[in-house]
Amino acid sequence: MLVAILAHFALAAVLPLVARRYGRAAFVVGALAPAATLVYALARGGEAVSGAPPLETLAWAPVIGLEFTARFDELALLLILLVSGIGAVVLCYYSRYAKPDDHRTAARDSALLVTFAGAMLGLVLADDVISLYLFWELTTVCSFLLVGGDGVAKRLRTSATQALLVTTLGGLAMLLGLILLGTAAGTMRISEILADPPSGGIVTAALLLVLLGALTKSAQVPFHPWLPSAMVAPTPVSAYLHAAAMVKAGVYLVARFSPAFADHPAWWIPIVVCGLWTMLLGGFRALRQYDLKTLLAYGTISQLGFLMVMLGAGTWMSALAAGTLILAHGLFKSALFLTVGIIDKRAGTRDIRELSGLGRQWRGLTTLATFALMSMAGLPPLLGFIGKEVALEALFEGGTVDRLIGVGVAVGSVLTVVYSLRFLRGAFGTKPDMAPSAPVPCGRVMTGMVAVPSLAGLVLALAPSVIEPVETGYADRYGKDPGYHLALWHGITPALMISVGIIAAGVAVHRYAGVQRLGGYVPGPLRAQSWYGRSVEGLESLARGVTGRLQVGSLPVYLGVILTTLVVVPGAGLFSGDIDFGELRLFDNWLQVPLALLVLVAAATSLLARRRLTAVLLAGVVGYGIGAWFVVDGGADLALAQFLVETLTLVVFVFVIRRFPPRFIENKAYVGGRWVKAVIAGVAGTFVAVLAVLYSGYRGGIPEASRQYIERAEDETGATNVVNAIIVDFRAFDTIGEITVLAVAATGVASLILARSRRRNGTVGRPEPTEQDATDDTGTTETPEVRS
Amino acid sequence: MTINITMAVTLAGLYSVGFYLLMQRSLMRVILGIVILGHGANLFLQVAGGPPGEPTFVGSAVLEAMVDPLPQALALTAIVITFALTTFLLALAYRSWALLGHDEVQDDVEDRRIARAEQAARKVEDEGPESERVAGFEAPEAPESRPGEDDEEARIR
């Protein structure tokens, strides 16, 4: 299974080369990866449903417990049927849908679609939370790039950005939730978390965060507007990402965690409430769309809500219904999107108001689309009907809450019937006062690709035993098998009667247009899209306000902010913990006291100095004082280097300041903030000192590394001076780095000084003598530094 | 472990002076601030490296009495690098003096100008028409009208 995921990415890497040469044929090449995966998954299907699913582990960073584990169980198999099956179909379809001469688009979209298929495969197989998150975000990124297309049109960019912002927000929340969940359970493996679910307040928060990820990804209210916006993508992309595969990721996540948490109120209540709301709102909004694709997008939102409700209900029957409906929805929705693609491409429009009489021209396509629509509306003999039967059975056999949910689902299903009919009449019907659209062929290959998912929905409904082991295998995680079997005919049951009622009501609503004319309207201020607009706008103005206040262009202000942050953030963390200051003593060696006085007085006086030379000399006194301190503390080499360098620094300072006026230029305008600066500097300085004594306090003798340095110095380097041995031998690479810094600084100094001499000599136009100067001068500048 | 108060006070003093000088307007003072901060950092390494002891010459003392040599080696590197940095900054100050005639760290006026422009743009946006404000964030949906106002719907039925 790991090989299959890698194969997708490898193929995606070479597809641009194929597309450059052969254009849109690259899509067919790209279809090989998902098609092979589908065959492989079906061949190993028996193992997946055996109860002991195959595991494959790839060590990633085993030291910190990071590994990628693929777990091929029933749920993964179910999703692979969609991800790889629909993936292969859509890629083949795209090879005809794409413009023949647009090699760039073919290169981009084929590579991205195959990458997406690989990411989706990884997502459904991943058995540890970190790789789950990685693949999750990879699908988001693919979606962003596919919706954004070439990024030229503004509408593409804003839609892509909206999808990215909303789903990434959820994704980050999910990551936090998954990590909290993993920490509470003590393992990052999903199967282990589910086998022994943790509990407590943290888990409640974690579940809500994970749900936020699922709800945003699966376009649940109130995060749904990104999905209709994303319909600006090419239709095959919409069919794959925004109908069959990516939006199922949220449903998949819920399906994955529901067996363990279905009884947790923080889990099932938000799922059921958001799901029902989404199902009703999506169906309601679909009633009014003129654009066939947007109509389908709202239909998808509604169906995703339905799936969520069934998973949230959390019984054996509802899980069976959810599993069946996931497959049914993937099949009929992709078939319908592909149909819209053909209509859009061949008839030149997908607006209901401009289409007429297509049904008579394209009888084959119309039949296939009708099958898909019947599956969507829940009519026999199609898979959607079987799924809806199980769902109604599950809800109306349950308790009061389940029955109430059932009523909501029934109303949502009526809406589904209505918009299915709207699609059928709108796309294929002949409108009395409109001239039929011009006759054009609908394309054999593309129609063939519609046939695959559409007929699959029919065949699987006639022989449900093919998929039953997968569906019941998943449902068994929720409890005991009550002996129910998937079938078209269970006799005259209450569920069947409700189904008949739903269809009758749907047809009635569709017929009486007066009722429908009220449908689908949501006042502007209540639309989630305007909330999104307002929140993005608010975020932007917040960013502007904060940046405008922080980025004022003044170095002292920046430093002040940095120092304050240094004290406040790590300081709060430090002092909230348990601090042991240990025993206090005045000094280690009485010589430290006069040295400390000298250093402090010199440093303080340098603040007050008005003459440059005075300040520089006082800084020199501080340096020599520190050198003397090193002698007292037993750092002979250190003291030597300190004295040498201090002397050199003084020399360089004197060379430079002789060019400057003797006194500092005092700018009165800035004196006002002097006290603020002093307070910030004082607090930050004290904080650093506290840090230093704390570090010192937590040491217990000479650490192992230093001990080894001392013990091995003589044998391994032949030096008795350990500091020397460390610098030139044990840590010689540090010293090389240090020399490099010196060389770079020397080059910089030389070029800065020479730039001046060039101006003075007026030799700007003649580079040769200047370069001669440069080598000379670099030599002289570098010499004292290298000696140091 | 015990804590050396003299050392702590000296560190606090050096860092405070360094930070204060760093926030000054004169480039020369900023450089002095960096020099003093460098001294403070070297002292910091010594404090964090434990109490003083015998110099680390093999054979001159027992291991337990020696001072930790690693912080010393690190400080030695730090001293040299501080010198490189100081020299480079001095060259910059020198250049600033040669070109501009002063060594003052001035405010980046451009930043303020951008902030002002952003504020102004926001004001214009707020006063602009409703549809323009959320331009770019509207779903590319089919145009919608209030119920009962459209004849299109009736025509499709």
Side-chain angles (χ1 to χ4, degrees):
Chain A
M1 280 292 137
L2 291 173
V3 178
I5 300 169
L6 286 178
H8 278 80
F9 295 138
L11 187 63
V14 296
L15 276 180
L17 300 175
V18 178
R20 196 173 297 166
R21 183 85 190 264
Y22 302 102
R24 61 186 192 175
F27 287 107
V28 182
V29 179
L32 290 176
T37 308
L38 182 67
V39 172
Y40 180 67
L42 288 175
R44 292 187 65 180
E47 294 173 52
V49 296
S50 66
L55 273 180
E56 286 175 36
T57 301
L58 181 72
W60 177 4
V63 183
I64 51 170
L66 266 187
E67 54 186 21
F68 176 57
T69 309
R71 192 165 184 273
F72 181 48
D73 60 2
E74 312 92 0
L75 186 57
L77 176 62
L78 178 67
L79 268 294
I80 289 174
L81 292 181
L82 283 184
V83 170
S84 298
I86 307 285
V89 167
V90 166
L91 278 161
C92 290
Y93 175 92
Y94 207 163
S95 75
R96 285 300 164 143
Y97 182 89
K99 293 192 186 79
D101 48 352
D102 190 355
H103 289 199
R104 282 189 58 188
T105 306
R108 188 183 60 234
D109 283 3
S110 61
L112 282 174
L113 277 172
V114 175
T115 310
F116 170 79
M120 207 58 211
L121 190 62
L123 175 68
V124 299
L125 285 170
D127 193 36
D128 70 283
V129 295
I130 303 297
S131 38
L132 176 81
Y133 171 75
L134 279 183
F135 286 118
W136 179 282
E137 290 298 37
L138 191 54
T139 63
T140 304
V141 173
C142 287
S143 161
F144 170 74
L145 294 171
L146 282 165
V147 173
D150 55 8
V152 174
K154 187 175 180 189
R155 218 173 63 151
L156 294 181
R157 289 203 308 273
T158 50
S159 297
T161 311
Q162 183 176 6
L164 186 73
L165 284 181
V166 174
T167 49
T168 316
L169 171 80
L172 288 174
M174 184 190 82
L175 175 65
L176 189 60
L178 288 174
I179 289 175
L180 286 177
L181 203 57
T183 316
T187 171
M188 290 288 164
R189 291 280 283 276
I190 295 171
S191 50
E192 288 169 12
I193 296 176
L194 297 180
D196 183 16
S199 57
I202 294 275
V203 173
T204 306
L207 289 180
L208 288 173
L209 288 168
V210 171
L211 267 189
L212 189 61
L215 297 181
T216 49
K217 192 84 164 180
S218 281
Q220 301 292 295
V221 173
F223 306 108
H224 64 283
W226 72 264
L227 188 59
S229 300
M231 289 301 131
V232 295
T235 304
V237 170
S238 304
Y240 191 26
L241 269 69
H242 306 126
M246 192 182 85
V247 289
K248 291 279 183 357
V251 174
Y252 165 76
L253 192 72
V254 172
R256 182 55 84 192
F257 284 92
S258 265
F261 298 106
D263 297 332
H264 204 298
W267 183 255
W268 73 266
I269 292 177
I271 293 178
V272 168
V273 170
C274 286
L276 267 184
W277 187 5
T278 308
M279 184 176 186
L280 295 174
L281 186 87
F284 184 67
R285 295 279 280 157
L287 296 184
R288 201 171 187 79
Q289 304 304 326
Y290 294 118
D291 180 359
L292 284 175
K293 212 170 153 188
T294 316
L295 189 155
L296 285 182
Y298 278 111
T300 305
I301 292 175
S302 168
Q303 295 282 325
L304 290 170
F306 186 17
L307 292 173
M308 287 287 185
V309 172
M310 293 322 292
L311 287 168
T315 60
W316 189 92
M317 285 289 282
S318 71
L320 183 70
T324 314
L325 283 168
I326 286 176
L327 190 59
H329 176 255
L331 293 173
F332 68 67
K333 199 45 75 65
S334 58
L336 288 175
F337 264 105
L338 297 181
T339 306
V340 171
I342 296 178
I343 294 173
D344 193 13
K345 192 90 179 164
R346 302 287 169 159
T349 177
R350 50 175 208 246
D351 192 323
I352 290 179
R353 291 164 295 189
E354 294 167 18
L355 293 168
S356 179
L358 288 182
R360 292 200 183 143
Q361 288 176 33
W362 298 342
R363 288 191 189 279
L365 183 65
T366 310
T367 315
L368 293 170
T370 309
F371 280 143
L373 285 167
M374 283 165 70
S375 189
M376 179 154 83
L379 258 61
L382 289 140
L383 196 57
F385 170 74
I386 295 185
K388 199 163 283 186
E389 284 292 281
V390 186
L392 293 173
E393 185 90 29
L395 293 173
F396 284 99
E397 295 294 300
T400 320
V401 178
D402 281 353
R403 278 164 197 266
L404 281 175
I405 299 171
V407 172
V409 166
V411 175
S413 302
V414 172
L415 294 173
T416 310
V417 175
V418 180
Y419 70 72
S420 301
L421 285 170
R422 180 180 172 90
F423 184 96
L424 186 65
R425 285 199 48 181
F428 299 109
T430 306
K431 284 130 205 171
D433 54 345
M434 272 176 75
S437 306
V440 276
C442 61
R444 237 174 296 163
V445 175
M446 287 205 281
T447 311
M449 288 305 136
V450 176
V452 176
S454 171
L455 293 180
L458 182 64
V459 171
L460 289 179
L462 295 175
S465 57
V466 178
I467 50 161
E468 201 172 56
V470 183
E471 310 292 0
T472 53
Y474 173 64
D476 283 345
R477 297 180 198 182
Y478 291 85
K480 225 166 66 63
D481 183 351
Y484 187 91
H485 290 284
L486 294 177
L488 282 169
W489 180 252
H490 285 284
I492 301 192
T493 58
L496 184 69
M497 302 313 290
I498 296 168
S499 251
V500 171
I502 288 170
I503 292 161
V507 173
V509 171
H510 180 73
R511 174 140 309 171
Y512 296 104
V515 182
Q516 205 184 347
R517 279 174 73 176
L518 290 172
Y521 178 73
V522 175
L526 285 182
R527 289 194 198 154
Q529 181 64 20
S530 61
W531 299 353
Y532 169 77
R534 253 174 284 159
S535 48
V536 170
E537 208 188 316
L539 200 63
E540 277 188 348
S541 74
L542 179 72
R544 259 200 302 256
V546 170
T547 317
R549 277 174 188 81
L550 284 184
Q551 181 93 14
V552 290
S554 159
L555 188 62
V557 172
Y558 293 164
L559 286 170
V561 170
I562 290 172
L563 289 176
T564 313
T565 316
L566 169 78
V567 175
V568 171
V569 180
L574 189 68
F575 291 109
S576 64
D578 188 20
I579 300 173
D580 175 25
F581 274 103
E583 178 194 334
L584 298 178
R585 68 189 133 71
L586 212 50
F587 48 81
D588 295 310
N589 184 328
W590 67 269
L591 277 171
Q592 284 179 340
V593 179
L595 283 174
L597 281 178
L598 175 74
V599 165
L600 284 178
V601 169
T605 324
S606 74
L607 285 181
L608 305 172
R610 299 225 174 270
R611 297 176 68 90
R612 288 171 200 269
L613 189 61
T614 320
V616 168
L617 288 177
L618 284 168
V621 171
V622 174
Y624 286 120
I626 298 287
W629 196 310
F630 289 150
V631 175
V632 171
D633 277 7
D637 302 84
L638 210 50
L640 197 61
Q642 178 72 19
F643 285 131
L644 262 175
V645 168
E646 201 50 48
T647 313
L648 276 170
T649 310
L650 269 181
V651 170
V652 179
F653 257 112
V654 169
F655 267 124
V656 174
I657 59 169
R658 73 193 168 103
R659 301 266 178 193
F660 284 81
R663 286 170 184 276
F664 287 113
I665 302 160
E666 300 294 343
N667 200 330
K668 293 290 175 205
Y670 300 116
V671 172
R674 187 183 281 171
W675 285 107
V676 180
K677 285 179 192 172
V679 168
I680 292 178
V683 172
T686 313
F687 178 70
V688 173
V690 170
L691 272 188
V693 294
L694 277 180
Y695 290 158
S696 157
Y698 279 100
R699 273 174 65 101
I702 293 187
E704 189 55 28
S706 306
R707 185 181 295 274
Q708 294 286 332
Y709 284 141
I710 297 173
E711 282 171 358
R712 296 182 179 198
E714 195 162 15
D715 296 340
E716 295 189 9
T717 69
T720 50
N721 181 343
V722 184
V723 177
N724 245 345
I726 291 176
I727 286 194
V728 298
D729 205 310
F730 291 126
R731 301 186 66 91
F733 279 118
D734 280 4
T735 312
I736 289 186
E738 173 193 337
I739 293 170
T740 315
V741 171
L742 273 183
V744 171
T747 318
V749 170
S751 49
L752 283 169
I753 305 285
L754 283 172
R756 193 206 140 269
S757 69
R758 189 186 308 171
R759 198 186 62 151
R760 188 184 53 197
N761 297 339
T763 55
V764 181
R766 289 179 291 145
E768 274 181 28
T770 321
E771 273 177 8
Q772 186 59 44
D773 280 357
T775 41
D776 287 354
D777 230 303
T778 313
T780 52
T781 324
E782 213 166 31
T783 323
E785 287 170 1
V786 171
R787 271 185 212 139
S788 75
Chain B
M1 294 299 283
T2 56
I3 285 163
N4 181 337
I5 296 174
T6 312
M7 199 79 142
V9 171
T10 314
L11 263 183
L14 283 180
Y15 269 95
S16 300
V17 169
F19 286 145
Y20 184 78
L21 285 173
L22 218 54
M23 286 190 277
Q24 295 302 304
R25 287 281 167 182
S26 161
L27 193 52
M28 194 59 73
R29 279 202 171 129
V30 171
I31 297 171
L32 284 174
I34 287 174
V35 170
I36 289 179
L37 278 180
H39 294 322
N42 291 332
L43 206 57
F44 187 116
L45 280 171
Q46 299 314 301
V47 179
E54 296 297 319
T56 50
F57 294 110
V58 178
S60 69
V62 288
L63 199 151
E64 279 66 31
M66 283 184 187
V67 65
D68 187 350
L70 194 56
Q72 291 201 9
L74 296 179
L76 205 55
T77 310
I79 289 171
V80 179
I81 287 182
T82 310
F83 172 65
L85 181 67
T86 312
T87 320
F88 184 70
L89 286 176
L90 279 171
L92 274 181
Y94 183 61
R95 183 96 186 111
S96 162
W97 179 260
L99 285 181
L100 306 172
H102 62 80
D103 70 332
E104 193 185 321
V105 182
Q106 286 180 320
D107 277 359
D108 189 348
V109 195
E110 194 68 8
D111 275 341
R112 291 201 174 157
R113 213 177 54 76
I114 290 171
R116 267 202 303 275
E118 287 281 350
Q119 294 291 338
R122 193 171 150 205
K123 212 166 272 174
V124 169
E125 231 171 68
D126 286 346
E127 287 159 4
E130 183 76 12
S131 63
E132 294 242 333
R133 263 177 57 199
V134 259
F137 295 112
E138 281 162 325
E141 291 176 43
E144 290 185 62
S145 48
R146 286 172 186 284
E149 283 179 2
D150 54 337
D151 301 327
E152 298 281 1
E153 189 68 27
R155 203 154 60 88
I156 296 167
R157 301 277 101 243

